[in-house]
Coordinates of all heavy atoms in Angstrom, one line a residue:
M1 N 30.2 93.7 158.2 CA 29.3 94.8 158.3 C 28.2 94.6 157.3 O 28.4 94.4 156.1 CB 30.1 96.1 158.0 CG 29.2 97.3 158.0 SD 30.3 98.8 157.9 CE 29.2 99.8 157.1
K2 N 26.9 94.7 157.8 CA 25.8 94.6 156.9 C 25.5 95.8 156.1 O 25.7 96.9 156.6 CB 24.5 94.2 157.7 CG 24.6 92.9 158.4 CD 23.3 92.6 159.1 CE 23.4 91.3 159.8 NZ 22.1 91.0 160.5
R3 N 25.1 95.6 154.8 CA 24.7 96.7 154.0 C 23.6 96.2 153.0 O 23.7 95.1 152.6 CB 26.0 97.2 153.2 CG 25.7 98.4 152.4 CD 27.0 99.1 152.1 NE 26.6 100.2 151.2 CZ 27.2 100.7 150.2 NH1 28.3 100.1 149.8 NH2 26.8 101.7 149.5
R4 N 22.7 97.1 152.7 CA 21.6 96.7 151.9 C 21.7 97.4 150.5 O 22.0 98.6 150.4 CB 20.2 97.1 152.5 CG 20.0 96.4 153.8 CD 18.7 96.9 154.5 NE 17.5 96.7 153.8 CZ 16.8 95.5 153.9 NH1 17.2 94.6 154.7 NH2 15.6 95.4 153.3
H5 N 21.5 96.6 149.4 CA 21.6 97.1 148.1 C 20.3 96.8 147.4 O 19.7 95.7 147.5 CB 22.7 96.3 147.3 CG 24.1 96.5 147.9 ND1 24.9 97.5 147.6 CD2 24.7 95.8 149.0 CE1 26.0 97.4 148.3 NE2 25.9 96.4 149.2
H6 N 19.7 97.7 146.7 CA 18.4 97.6 146.0 C 18.5 97.6 144.5 O 19.3 98.3 144.0 CB 17.5 98.8 146.5 CG 17.4 98.9 148.0 ND1 16.5 98.1 148.7 CD2 18.0 99.7 148.8 CE1 16.6 98.5 150.0 NE2 17.6 99.4 150.1
F7 N 17.7 96.7 143.9 CA 17.7 96.6 142.4 C 16.2 96.6 141.9 O 15.3 96.2 142.7 CB 18.4 95.3 142.0 CG 19.8 95.2 142.5 CD1 20.1 94.7 143.7 CD2 20.8 95.7 141.7 CE1 21.4 94.7 144.1 CE2 22.2 95.6 142.1 CZ 22.4 95.1 143.3
H8 N 16.0 97.0 140.7 CA 14.7 97.1 140.2 C 14.6 96.9 138.6 O 15.6 97.3 137.9 CB 14.0 98.4 140.5 CG 12.6 98.6 140.0 ND1 11.6 98.0 140.6 CD2 12.2 99.1 138.8 CE1 10.5 98.3 139.9 NE2 10.8 99.0 138.8
I9 N 13.5 96.3 138.2 CA 13.3 96.2 136.7 C 11.8 96.1 136.5 O 11.0 95.5 137.4 CB 14.0 95.0 136.1 CG1 14.0 95.1 134.6 CG2 13.4 93.7 136.6 CD1 15.0 94.1 133.9
D10 N 11.3 96.7 135.4 CA 9.9 96.5 135.0 C 9.9 95.4 134.0 O 10.6 95.5 133.0 CB 9.3 97.7 134.5 CG 9.0 98.8 135.6 OD1 8.6 98.4 136.7 OD2 9.3 100.0 135.3
Y11 N 9.0 94.3 134.1 CA 9.0 93.2 133.2 C 7.6 92.7 133.0 O 6.9 92.5 134.0 CB 9.9 92.1 133.8 CG 10.1 90.9 132.9 CD1 10.9 91.0 131.8 CD2 9.4 89.7 133.1 CE1 11.1 89.9 130.9 CE2 9.6 88.6 132.3 CZ 10.4 88.7 131.2 OH 10.6 87.7 130.3
L12 N 7.2 92.7 131.8 CA 5.8 92.3 131.4 C 4.7 93.1 132.2 O 3.7 92.5 132.6 CB 5.6 90.8 131.6 CG 6.5 89.8 130.8 CD1 6.2 88.4 131.2 CD2 6.3 90.0 129.3
G13 N 5.0 94.3 132.4 CA 4.1 95.2 133.0 C 4.0 95.1 134.5 O 3.1 95.6 135.2
H14 N 5.0 94.4 135.1 CA 5.1 94.2 136.6 C 6.4 94.8 137.1 O 7.4 94.7 136.4 CB 4.9 92.8 136.9 CG 3.6 92.3 136.6 ND1 2.4 92.5 137.3 CD2 3.1 91.6 135.5 CE1 1.4 91.9 136.8 NE2 1.8 91.4 135.6
S15 N 6.4 95.3 138.3 CA 7.5 95.8 139.0 C 8.2 94.6 139.8 O 7.6 94.0 140.6 CB 7.1 96.9 140.0 OG 8.1 97.2 140.8
V16 N 9.5 94.4 139.5 CA 10.3 93.4 140.2 C 11.4 94.1 140.9 O 12.2 94.7 140.2 CB 10.8 92.3 139.2 CG1 11.6 91.2 140.0 CG2 9.6 91.7 138.4
S17 N 11.5 93.9 142.2 CA 12.5 94.6 143.0 C 13.2 93.5 143.8 O 12.6 92.5 144.3 CB 11.9 95.6 143.9 OG 11.3 96.6 143.2
A18 N 14.5 93.7 144.0 CA 15.3 92.8 144.9 C 16.2 93.6 145.8 O 16.7 94.7 145.5 CB 16.2 91.9 144.0
T19 N 16.3 93.1 147.1 CA 17.1 93.7 148.1 C 18.2 92.7 148.5 O 17.8 91.6 148.8 CB 16.4 94.2 149.3 OG1 15.4 95.2 148.9 CG2 17.3 94.8 150.3
V20 N 19.4 93.0 148.3 CA 20.5 92.1 148.7 C 21.2 92.7 149.9 O 21.7 93.8 149.9 CB 21.6 91.9 147.6 CG1 22.7 91.0 148.0 CG2 20.9 91.4 146.3
Q21 N 21.1 92.0 151.0 CA 21.8 92.4 152.3 C 23.1 91.6 152.4 O 23.1 90.4 152.5 CB 20.9 92.2 153.5 CG 21.5 92.6 154.8 CD 20.6 92.4 156.0 OE1 19.5 93.0 156.0 NE2 21.0 91.6 156.9
T22 N 24.2 92.3 152.3 CA 25.5 91.7 152.4 C 25.9 91.6 153.9 O 25.3 92.2 154.7 CB 26.5 92.5 151.6 OG1 26.6 93.8 152.1 CG2 26.2 92.5 150.1
G23 N 27.0 90.9 154.1 CA 27.5 90.7 155.4 C 27.9 89.2 155.7 O 28.1 88.5 154.7
H24 N 27.9 88.8 156.9 CA 28.3 87.4 157.3 C 27.4 86.4 156.6 O 27.8 85.4 156.1 CB 28.3 87.2 158.8 CG 28.6 85.9 159.2 ND1 29.9 85.4 159.0 CD2 27.9 84.9 159.8 CE1 29.9 84.1 159.5 NE2 28.7 83.8 160.0
A25 N 26.0 86.6 156.6 CA 25.1 85.7 156.0 C 24.2 86.5 155.1 O 23.2 87.0 155.5 CB 24.2 85.0 157.1
P26 N 24.6 86.6 153.8 CA 23.8 87.4 152.8 C 22.4 86.9 152.7 O 22.1 85.7 152.7 CB 24.6 87.3 151.5 CG 26.0 87.0 151.9 CD 25.8 86.1 153.2
V27 N 21.5 87.9 152.5 CA 20.0 87.6 152.4 C 19.5 88.3 151.2 O 19.9 89.5 150.9 CB 19.3 88.0 153.6 CG1 17.8 87.9 153.5 CG2 19.7 87.3 154.9
V28 N 18.6 87.6 150.4 CA 18.0 88.3 149.2 C 16.5 88.2 149.4 O 16.0 87.1 149.6 CB 18.5 87.6 147.9 CG1 17.8 88.2 146.7 CG2 20.0 87.5 147.8
E29 N 15.8 89.3 149.2 CA 14.4 89.4 149.2 C 13.9 89.9 147.9 O 14.5 90.9 147.3 CB 13.9 90.4 150.3 CG 14.3 90.0 151.7 CD 13.9 91.1 152.7 OE1 13.9 92.3 152.3 OE2 13.7 90.8 153.8
V30 N 12.9 89.3 147.3 CA 12.3 89.7 146.0 C 10.9 90.1 146.2 O 10.1 89.4 146.8 CB 12.5 88.6 145.0 CG1 11.9 89.0 143.6 CG2 13.9 88.2 144.8
L31 N 10.5 91.3 145.6 CA 9.2 91.8 145.6 C 8.7 91.9 144.2 O 9.4 92.3 143.3 CB 9.1 93.1 146.3 CG 9.2 93.2 147.8 CD1 10.7 93.1 148.2 CD2 8.6 94.4 148.3
V32 N 7.4 91.5 144.0 CA 6.7 91.7 142.7 C 5.5 92.6 143.0 O 4.7 92.2 143.8 CB 6.3 90.3 142.1 CG1 5.5 90.6 140.8 CG2 7.5 89.5 141.8
D33 N 5.5 93.7 142.3 CA 4.4 94.7 142.6 C 4.2 95.0 144.0 O 3.1 95.2 144.6 CB 3.1 94.2 142.0 CG 3.1 94.0 140.5 OD1 3.9 94.7 139.8 OD2 2.4 93.2 139.9
G34 N 5.4 95.1 144.7 CA 5.4 95.5 146.1 C 5.1 94.4 147.2 O 5.1 94.7 148.4
K35 N 4.8 93.2 146.7 CA 4.6 92.1 147.6 C 5.7 91.1 147.6 O 6.2 90.7 146.6 CB 3.3 91.3 147.2 CG 2.1 92.2 147.3 CD 0.9 91.4 146.8 CE -0.4 92.3 146.8 NZ -1.5 91.7 146.3
E36 N 6.2 90.7 148.8 CA 7.3 89.8 148.9 C 6.9 88.4 148.3 O 5.9 87.8 148.8 CB 7.8 89.6 150.3 CG 9.0 88.8 150.4 CD 9.6 88.6 151.8 OE1 9.5 89.6 152.6 OE2 10.2 87.6 152.1
T37 N 7.7 88.0 147.3 CA 7.4 86.7 146.7 C 8.5 85.7 146.7 O 8.4 84.6 146.3 CB 6.9 86.9 145.2 OG1 8.0 87.6 144.5 CG2 5.7 87.7 145.1
G38 N 9.7 86.2 147.1 CA 10.9 85.3 147.2 C 11.8 85.7 148.3 O 11.9 86.9 148.6
Y39 N 12.5 84.8 148.8 CA 13.5 85.0 149.9 C 14.5 83.9 149.9 O 14.2 82.7 149.7 CB 12.8 85.0 151.3 CG 13.7 85.2 152.5 CD1 13.9 86.5 152.9 CD2 14.2 84.1 153.1 CE1 14.8 86.7 154.0 CE2 15.0 84.3 154.2 CZ 15.3 85.6 154.7 OH 16.1 85.8 155.8
A40 N 15.8 84.2 150.1 CA 16.8 83.2 150.1 C 18.0 83.7 150.9 O 18.3 84.9 151.0 CB 17.3 82.8 148.7
E41 N 18.7 82.8 151.5 CA 20.0 83.1 152.2 C 21.1 82.4 151.5 O 20.8 81.3 150.9 CB 19.9 82.6 153.7 CG 18.9 83.3 154.5 CD 18.8 82.9 155.9 OE1 19.8 82.2 156.4 OE2 17.9 83.2 156.6
T42 N 22.3 82.9 151.6 CA 23.4 82.2 150.9 C 24.6 82.4 151.8 O 24.6 83.1 152.8 CB 23.7 82.8 149.5 OG1 24.7 82.0 148.9 CG2 24.0 84.3 149.5
R43 N 25.7 81.8 151.5 CA 27.0 81.9 152.2 C 28.0 82.6 151.4 O 28.2 82.3 150.2 CB 27.5 80.6 152.6 CG 26.6 79.9 153.6 CD 27.2 78.6 154.0 NE 26.4 77.9 155.0 CZ 26.6 77.8 156.3 NH1 27.7 78.3 156.8 NH2 25.8 77.1 157.0
G44 N 28.7 83.5 152.1 CA 29.8 84.3 151.4 C 29.3 85.0 150.1 O 28.3 85.7 150.2
D45 N 30.1 84.8 149.1 CA 29.7 85.5 147.8 C 29.0 84.6 146.8 O 29.0 84.9 145.6 CB 31.0 86.0 147.2 CG 31.6 87.1 148.0 OD1 30.9 87.8 148.7 OD2 32.9 87.3 147.9
R46 N 28.5 83.4 147.3 CA 27.8 82.5 146.4 C 26.6 83.1 145.8 O 25.7 83.6 146.5 CB 27.5 81.2 147.1 CG 28.7 80.4 147.5 CD 28.2 79.1 148.1 NE 29.4 78.4 148.6 CZ 29.4 77.4 149.4 NH1 28.2 77.0 149.9 NH2 30.5 76.8 149.8
P47 N 26.4 83.0 144.4 CA 25.2 83.4 143.8 C 24.0 82.6 144.3 O 24.1 81.4 144.6 CB 25.4 83.2 142.3 CG 26.9 83.0 142.2 CD 27.4 82.5 143.5
V48 N 22.8 83.2 144.2 CA 21.6 82.4 144.6 C 20.5 82.8 143.5 O 20.5 83.9 143.0 CB 21.1 82.8 146.0 CG1 20.8 84.3 146.1 CG2 20.0 81.9 146.5
T49 N 19.7 81.8 143.1 CA 18.7 81.9 142.2 C 17.3 81.7 142.9 O 17.1 80.7 143.5 CB 18.8 81.0 141.0 OG1 20.1 81.2 140.4 CG2 17.8 81.2 139.9
I50 N 16.4 82.7 142.7 CA 15.1 82.6 143.4 C 14.0 82.6 142.3 O 13.9 83.6 141.6 CB 15.0 83.9 144.3 CG1 16.1 83.9 145.3 CG2 13.6 83.8 145.0 CD1 16.3 85.3 145.9
P51 N 13.2 81.6 142.3 CA 12.1 81.6 141.4 C 10.9 82.4 142.0 O 10.6 82.3 143.2 CB 11.7 80.1 141.3 CG 12.2 79.5 142.6 CD 13.3 80.3 143.0
V52 N 10.3 83.2 141.1 CA 9.1 84.0 141.5 C 8.1 84.0 140.4 O 8.4 83.7 139.3 CB 9.5 85.5 141.9 CG1 10.4 85.6 143.1 CG2 10.1 86.2 140.7
E53 N 6.8 84.2 140.8 CA 5.7 84.2 139.8 C 5.2 85.6 139.6 O 5.0 86.3 140.6 CB 4.6 83.3 140.3 CG 4.6 81.9 139.8 CD 3.3 81.1 140.1 OE1 2.4 81.7 140.6 OE2 3.4 79.9 139.8
L54 N 5.1 85.9 138.3 CA 4.4 87.2 138.0 C 2.9 86.9 137.9 O 2.5 85.9 137.3 CB 5.0 87.7 136.7 CG 6.5 88.0 136.6 CD1 6.8 88.5 135.2 CD2 6.9 89.0 137.7
P55 N 2.1 87.8 138.4 CA 0.6 87.6 138.3 C 0.0 87.9 137.0 O -0.7 88.9 136.8 CB 0.1 88.6 139.4 CG 1.1 89.7 139.4 CD 2.4 89.0 139.1
T56 N 0.4 87.2 136.0 CA -0.1 87.3 134.6 C -1.2 86.2 134.4 O -1.4 85.4 135.3 CB 1.0 87.1 133.6 OG1 1.7 85.9 133.7 CG2 2.0 88.3 133.7
E57 N -1.8 86.2 133.3 CA -2.8 85.1 133.1 C -2.3 84.3 131.9 O -2.4 84.8 130.7 CB -4.1 85.8 132.7 CG -5.3 84.9 132.9 CD -5.4 84.1 134.2 OE1 -5.4 84.8 135.3 OE2 -5.6 82.9 134.1
P58 N -1.8 83.1 132.0 CA -1.5 82.4 133.2 C -0.3 82.9 133.9 O 0.5 83.6 133.3 CB -1.3 80.9 132.7 CG -0.7 81.1 131.3 CD -1.4 82.3 130.8
P59 N -0.1 82.5 135.2 CA 1.1 83.0 135.9 C 2.4 82.7 135.2 O 2.6 81.6 134.6 CB 1.0 82.3 137.2 CG -0.4 82.0 137.4 CD -0.9 81.7 136.0
T60 N 3.3 83.6 135.2 CA 4.6 83.5 134.5 C 5.7 83.3 135.6 O 5.8 84.2 136.5 CB 4.9 84.7 133.7 OG1 3.9 84.9 132.7 CG2 6.3 84.5 132.9
T61 N 6.5 82.3 135.5 CA 7.6 82.1 136.4 C 8.9 82.7 135.8 O 9.2 82.4 134.7 CB 7.8 80.6 136.8 OG1 6.6 80.1 137.3 CG2 9.0 80.4 137.7
V62 N 9.6 83.5 136.6 CA 10.9 84.0 136.2 C 11.8 83.7 137.4 O 11.4 83.4 138.5 CB 10.8 85.5 135.9 CG1 9.9 85.8 134.7 CG2 10.3 86.3 137.1
L63 N 13.1 83.9 137.1 CA 14.1 83.7 138.1 C 14.9 85.0 138.3 O 15.2 85.7 137.4 CB 15.1 82.6 137.6 CG 14.5 81.3 137.2 CD1 15.6 80.4 136.6 CD2 14.0 80.6 138.5
V64 N 15.2 85.3 139.6 CA 16.1 86.4 139.9 C 17.4 85.8 140.4 O 17.4 85.0 141.4 CB 15.4 87.3 141.0 CG1 16.4 88.3 141.5 CG2 14.2 87.9 140.5
R65 N 18.5 86.1 139.8 CA 19.8 85.6 140.2 C 20.6 86.7 140.8 O 20.9 87.7 140.2 CB 20.5 85.0 139.0 CG 21.9 84.4 139.4 CD 22.3 83.5 138.3 NE 23.5 82.9 138.6 CZ 23.7 81.8 139.3 NH1 22.7 81.2 139.8 NH2 24.9 81.3 139.5
A66 N 20.9 86.6 142.1 CA 21.6 87.6 142.9 C 23.0 87.1 143.2 O 23.1 86.0 143.6 CB 20.8 88.0 144.1
T67 N 24.0 88.0 143.0 CA 25.3 87.7 143.3 C 25.8 88.7 144.3 O 26.0 89.9 144.0 CB 26.2 87.7 142.1 OG1 25.7 86.9 141.1 CG2 27.7 87.3 142.4
P68 N 26.0 88.3 145.6 CA 26.3 89.3 146.7 C 27.7 89.9 146.5 O 28.0 90.9 147.0 CB 26.2 88.5 148.0 CG 25.5 87.2 147.6 CD 25.7 87.0 146.2
G69 N 28.6 89.2 145.8 CA 30.0 89.7 145.7 C 30.8 88.8 144.8 O 30.2 87.9 144.2
P70 N 32.0 88.9 144.7 CA 32.9 89.9 145.3 C 32.6 91.2 144.7 O 32.1 91.3 143.6 CB 34.3 89.4 145.0 CG 34.2 88.5 143.8 CD 32.8 87.9 143.9
G71 N 33.0 92.3 145.4 CA 32.7 93.6 144.9 C 31.3 94.0 145.1 O 30.6 93.5 146.1
A72 N 30.7 94.8 144.3 CA 29.3 95.3 144.4 C 28.4 94.1 144.0 O 28.6 93.4 143.1 CB 29.1 96.5 143.5
P73 N 27.3 94.0 144.8 CA 26.3 93.0 144.4 C 25.7 93.3 143.0 O 25.6 94.4 142.6 CB 25.2 93.1 145.5 CG 25.9 93.7 146.6 CD 26.9 94.6 146.0
R74 N 25.1 92.2 142.4 CA 24.5 92.3 141.1 C 23.3 91.4 141.1 O 23.2 90.4 141.8 CB 25.5 91.8 140.0 CG 26.7 92.6 139.9 CD 27.8 92.0 139.0 NE 28.3 90.7 139.4 CZ 29.1 90.4 140.4 NH1 29.5 91.3 141.2 NH2 29.5 89.2 140.6
C75 N 22.3 91.8 140.3 CA 21.0 91.0 140.1 C 20.7 91.0 138.7 O 20.7 92.0 137.9 CB 19.9 91.6 140.9 SG 19.9 91.3 142.7
L76 N 20.2 89.8 138.2 CA 19.7 89.5 136.9 C 18.3 89.0 137.0 O 18.0 88.2 137.9 CB 20.6 88.5 136.2 CG 22.1 88.9 135.9 CD1 22.8 87.7 135.3 CD2 22.2 90.1 135.0
L77 N 17.5 89.3 136.0 CA 16.2 88.7 135.8 C 16.3 87.7 134.6 O 16.7 88.1 133.5 CB 15.1 89.7 135.6 CG 13.7 89.1 135.4 CD1 13.0 89.1 136.8 CD2 12.9 89.8 134.4
L78 N 16.0 86.5 134.9 CA 16.0 85.4 133.8 C 14.6 85.1 133.5 O 13.8 84.5 134.3 CB 16.8 84.2 134.3 CG 18.1 84.5 134.9 CD1 18.7 83.3 135.6 CD2 19.1 84.9 133.8
G79 N 14.1 85.5 132.3 CA 12.7 85.2 131.9 C 12.6 83.8 131.3 O 13.1 82.8 131.8
S80 N 12.0 83.7 130.1 CA 11.9 82.4 129.4 C 13.3 81.9 129.1 O 14.3 82.6 129.0 CB 11.0 82.5 128.2 OG 11.6 83.4 127.3
E81 N 13.3 80.6 128.8 CA 14.6 79.9 128.5 C 15.4 80.5 127.4 O 16.6 80.5 127.4 CB 14.3 78.4 128.3 CG 13.9 77.7 129.5 CD 13.6 76.2 129.2 OE1 14.1 75.7 128.2 OE2 12.9 75.6 130.1
D82 N 14.7 80.9 126.3 CA 15.4 81.4 125.2 C 15.6 83.0 125.2 O 16.2 83.5 124.3 CB 14.7 81.1 123.9 CG 13.2 81.2 124.0 OD1 12.7 81.2 125.1 OD2 12.5 81.3 122.9
A83 N 15.2 83.6 126.3 CA 15.4 85.1 126.4 C 16.7 85.3 127.1 O 17.2 84.5 127.9 CB 14.3 85.7 127.2
E84 N 17.3 86.5 126.8 CA 18.6 86.9 127.4 C 18.3 87.3 128.9 O 17.2 87.8 129.2 CB 19.2 88.1 126.7 CG 19.8 87.6 125.4 CD 20.6 88.8 124.7 OE1 21.2 89.6 125.5 OE2 20.6 88.9 123.5
A85 N 19.3 87.2 129.7 CA 19.2 87.7 131.1 C 19.2 89.2 131.0 O 19.9 89.9 130.3 CB 20.4 87.2 131.9
L86 N 18.3 89.8 131.9 CA 18.1 91.3 132.0 C 18.8 91.8 133.2 O 18.5 91.2 134.3 CB 16.6 91.6 131.9 CG 15.9 91.2 130.7 CD1 14.4 91.4 130.9 CD2 16.4 91.9 129.5
V87 N 19.6 92.8 133.1 CA 20.3 93.4 134.3 C 19.3 94.2 135.0 O 18.6 95.1 134.5 CB 21.5 94.2 133.9 CG1 22.1 94.9 135.1 CG2 22.5 93.4 133.1
M88 N 19.1 94.0 136.3 CA 18.3 94.8 137.2 C 19.1 96.0 137.6 O 20.2 95.9 138.2 CB 17.8 94.0 138.4 CG 16.9 92.8 138.0 SD 16.4 91.8 139.4 CE 15.2 92.9 140.2
A89 N 18.5 97.2 137.4 CA 19.2 98.4 137.7 C 19.3 98.6 139.2 O 18.4 98.5 139.9 CB 18.5 99.6 137.1
P90 N 20.5 99.1 139.7 CA 20.7 99.4 141.1 C 19.9 100.7 141.4 O 19.8 101.6 140.6 CB 22.2 99.6 141.3 CG 22.8 99.7 139.9 CD 21.8 99.2 138.9
R91 N 19.3 100.7 142.7 CA 18.6 101.8 143.2 C 19.4 102.4 144.3 O 19.9 101.7 145.2 CB 17.2 101.4 143.7 CG 16.3 101.0 142.6 CD 15.6 102.3 142.1 NE 14.8 102.1 140.9 CZ 13.5 102.1 140.9 NH1 12.8 102.2 142.0 NH2 12.8 101.9 139.8
P92 N 19.6 103.7 144.4 CA 20.5 104.3 145.4 C 19.9 104.5 146.8 O 20.6 104.9 147.7 CB 20.7 105.7 144.8 CG 19.5 106.0 144.0 CD 19.1 104.7 143.4
Y93 N 18.6 104.1 147.1 CA 18.1 104.3 148.4 C 18.2 103.2 149.3 O 18.6 102.1 149.0 CB 16.6 104.7 148.3 CG 15.7 103.7 147.6 CD1 15.1 102.7 148.3 CD2 15.5 103.8 146.2 CE1 14.3 101.8 147.7 CE2 14.7 102.9 145.6 CZ 14.1 101.9 146.3 OH 13.3 101.0 145.6

C-alpha cells in the first residue's frame, strides 16, 4: 500500500522539502524553495541519498538522505562535511 510522508527544514534561508512515497517501489522527491530539484527511487527499505543545490552565491550542494523504513520514514539534511546531520521535521499533510 502506497503512502506519502512529507518532511521539511529551513537551511541557509531556503526551504527544503522532501516527500517519501512508501510501497513496493519507494520514491523520494526533493523540493528547494518549491521547485523540484531531486528525485530518486529505491528498493525496499534501503536508504537513498539525493544531492541538491541551494540557490546561494555560489551554489551550495547539500545531501538529503531518506530512509523509507523499517517503521516510519525519516529524512536528514547533510550540509558541509564537518557539519552535523540535521533532522528534517515530519509534516502531517
Side-chain angles (χ1 to χ4, degrees):
M1 181 172 149
K2 293 183 181 180
R3 186 158 177 220
R4 295 173 68 86
H5 302 266
H6 305 279
F7 300 89
H8 179 81
I9 193 167
D10 288 321
Y11 186 72
L12 298 178
H14 296 279
S15 170
V16 180
S17 300
T19 300
V20 179
Q21 179 177 301
T22 59
H24 179 66
V27 174
V28 181
E29 299 171 332
V30 180
L31 287 80
V32 174
D33 296 335
K35 297 179 182 175
E36 186 175 328
T37 58
Y39 178 89
E41 295 180 16
T42 186
R43 292 184 181 254
D45 291 335
R46 291 185 184 161
V48 62
T49 303
I50 304 162
V52 295
E53 262 189 10
L54 300 179
T56 57
E57 198 53 52
T60 304
T61 300
V62 296
L63 303 172
V64 173
R65 182 158 180 88
T67 306
R74 300 170 298 286
C75 283
L76 298 173
L77 181 94
L78 308 167
S80 61
E81 291 180 19
D82 42 339
E84 287 188 34
L86 303 171
V87 176
M88 296 178 69
R91 290 272 171 110
Y93 57 91

